[in-house]
Amino acid sequence: MRRTVFNEDHEAFRQTIRAFIEAEVSPHFQEWFDAGMVPREFYYKLADLGVFGINVDEEYGGAGIDSHKFEAIQSEETARAGVNFGGSGVHVLLGLPYIKALATDEQKQRYLPKFVSGEEMWALAMTEPGTGSDLAGMKSTAKLSEDGTHYVLNGAKTFITGGVHADRVIVCARTAPPREDDRRFGISLLAVDTSLEGYSVGRKLDKVGLRTSDTAELAFSDVKVPVEDLLGEENRGFYYLGQNLPSERWGIAYGAYAQAAAAVRFAKEYTQQRTVFGKEVASFQNTKFELAACQAKVDAAQAVADRALEALDEGELTAAEAASAKLFCTEIAAEVIDRCLQLHGGYGFINEYPIARLYTDNRVNRIYGGTNEVMKTIIAKDMGL
């Protein structure tokens, strides 16, 4: 479909990312897949490429560009190649918005240069065992010390993407009990240095998909977090989380669309190369119809993802619009990838084929960032239902 979201600068960046993937990612990806994570030094290569600093102000070593379109291109190009950049996505898509919106000038001076250089990789720790999407029910606590110099952090988190390699984690914890009329009150955000005593990384979780993305359990035992690492105002953390959820959900929606587009590409190439009964699989009417139907769905998902991208860049993407984009694109991707795997036959079930990895990687899109059932609730509420 004709697109208007990208200009010549974006397309030049696309070629740079594509060349980088061909040289630095694809030759090693199977090794990373088997290991269950990318090596830590890979993030320095991404930093040298400049991808961590695109949306960071120039005074901190970034490019000073206020746009998510470069992130969108990365999603498209990694999906196209059947690879990913490990847990680095949360560093930019989840970590950076909180720093930009909440950090003081002093904090930005400490955080952002290391963020851009890859010296400090960031992650976001919200989910706890037993809470899931009910963030207001979190049990982790951060009590202010008597002398007011630090918080004492205790608790545990799970499903933390980038948790193994993270050097600093934005931890959501209770600094005050909830109010009777507001369960969300009392949560604060702390930018925790992972080298602090009492901070520990538990299991690296063995996931069905996204195997190169390090996802971990975290534990905090009397971790002394300096008050200088409080992000934003105390007790307003839930509000801040809500402010950033639309961009997170856009990222999931866009990634899902990109995966669906890649699945069609993989299926088309495979069926043109594979022969059955002396004929290319692509020559059979069923194959043509299946691919055509999938392409039409990808076109629709692309339009939704691009519209959400434009709204996000303009600062106008609402919670309901982001929920709608996530719901639509992830459901479409699930259907398209499943149908494209079917066209691969038995080989679609073998991990050396990118369609198999797409199939498992895609499944979590309907779960994280808020389940699709939660998305429906948000949309219904916006409809006045």
Side-chain angles (χ1 to χ4, degrees), residues 224-246:
K224 295 181 179 179
V225 184
V227 292
E228 291 81 8
D229 286 327
L230 172 70
L231 281 175
E233 297 180 26
E234 194 176 69
N235 301 325
R236 297 197 69 206
F238 199 100
Y239 167 78
Y240 299 138
L241 294 174
Q243 292 293 101
N244 283 298
L245 280 174

Side-chain angles (χ1 to χ4, degrees), residues 7 25 27 33 53 87 101 156 158 178 196 218 263 356:
N7 60 30
V25 182
F33 183 86
T158 192
L196 291 174
L218 307 179

Side-chain angles (χ1 to χ4, degrees), residues 109-375:
Q109 291 286 352
R110 284 193 291 124
Y111 299 153
L112 287 175
K114 293 180 180 180
F115 181 99
V116 172
S117 69
E119 183 180 346
E120 280 191 353
M121 295 299 295
W122 286 60
L124 177 64
M126 294 189 288
T127 306
E128 296 184 359
T131 62
S133 296
D134 181 21
L135 296 179
M138 67 177 63
K139 304 298 183 183
S140 294
T141 60
K143 298 182 179 179
L144 190 63
S145 62
E146 291 185 2
D147 61 6
T149 61
H150 61 271
Y151 292 94
V152 181
L153 176 64
N154 285 283
K157 300 290 182 178
T158 192
F159 305 144
I160 309 307
T161 304
V164 175
H165 284 320
D167 303 290
R168 196 173 284 271
V169 178
I170 300 173
V171 177
C172 310
R174 283 209 163 274
T175 46
R179 293 171 175 166
E180 288 187 9
D181 61 340
D182 187 3
R183 294 177 63 240
R184 302 173 179 181
F185 174 81
I187 294 171
S188 299
L189 307 184
L190 300 172
V192 180
D193 182 340
T194 63
S195 66
L196 291 174
E197 184 178 355
Y199 180 103
S200 61
V201 178
R203 294 185 302 153
K204 180 175 76 66
L205 299 175
D206 185 16
K207 306 186 300 297
V208 171
L210 296 178
R211 297 189 63 83
T212 58
S213 176
D214 54 307
T215 303
E217 296 174 330
L218 307 179
F220 321 114
S221 179
D222 293 333
V223 181
K224 295 181 179 179
V225 184
V227 292
E228 291 81 8
D229 286 327
L230 172 70
L231 281 175
E233 297 180 26
E234 194 176 69
N235 301 325
R236 297 197 69 206
F238 199 100
Y239 167 78
Y240 299 138
L241 294 174
Q243 292 293 101
N244 283 298
L245 280 174
S247 65
E248 178 183 351
R249 288 165 180 165
W250 163 81
I252 297 169
Y254 211 95
Y257 139 68
Q259 289 175 326
V264 173
R265 176 173 176 264
F266 295 143
K268 178 184 175 183
E269 291 177 350
Y270 178 82
T271 57
Q272 287 176 326
Q273 296 167 1
R274 178 75 168 164
T275 58
V276 177
F277 306 122
K279 298 174 62 178
E280 289 183 359
V281 174
S283 69
F284 290 93
Q285 185 183 64
N286 179 70
T287 304
K288 295 177 181 179
F289 281 8
E290 283 292 288
L291 286 174
C294 287
Q295 183 61 54
K297 292 179 183 295
V298 167
D299 288 346
Q302 182 189 87
V304 169
D306 283 354
R307 185 182 68 178
L309 171 57
E310 293 282 26
L312 181 63
D313 269 9
E314 293 169 5
E316 298 177 354
L317 184 65
T318 68
E321 289 170 343
S324 179
K326 179 185 185 295
L327 176 65
F328 183 79
C329 291
T330 58
E331 296 288 347
I332 286 294
E335 179 183 350
V336 167
I337 294 170
D338 182 78
R339 293 170 78 169
C340 288
L341 186 148
Q342 186 73 17
L343 290 173
H344 281 71
Y347 289 104
F349 211 62
I350 306 301
N351 273 328
E352 69 181 82
Y353 284 79
I355 191 67
R357 296 197 294 267
L358 270 184
Y359 184 78
T360 53
D361 288 354
N362 164 78
R363 185 59 186 88
V364 74
N365 289 335
R366 289 175 281 163
I367 299 173
Y368 67 3
T371 65
N372 278 11
E373 288 72 26
V374 171
M375 298 305 102

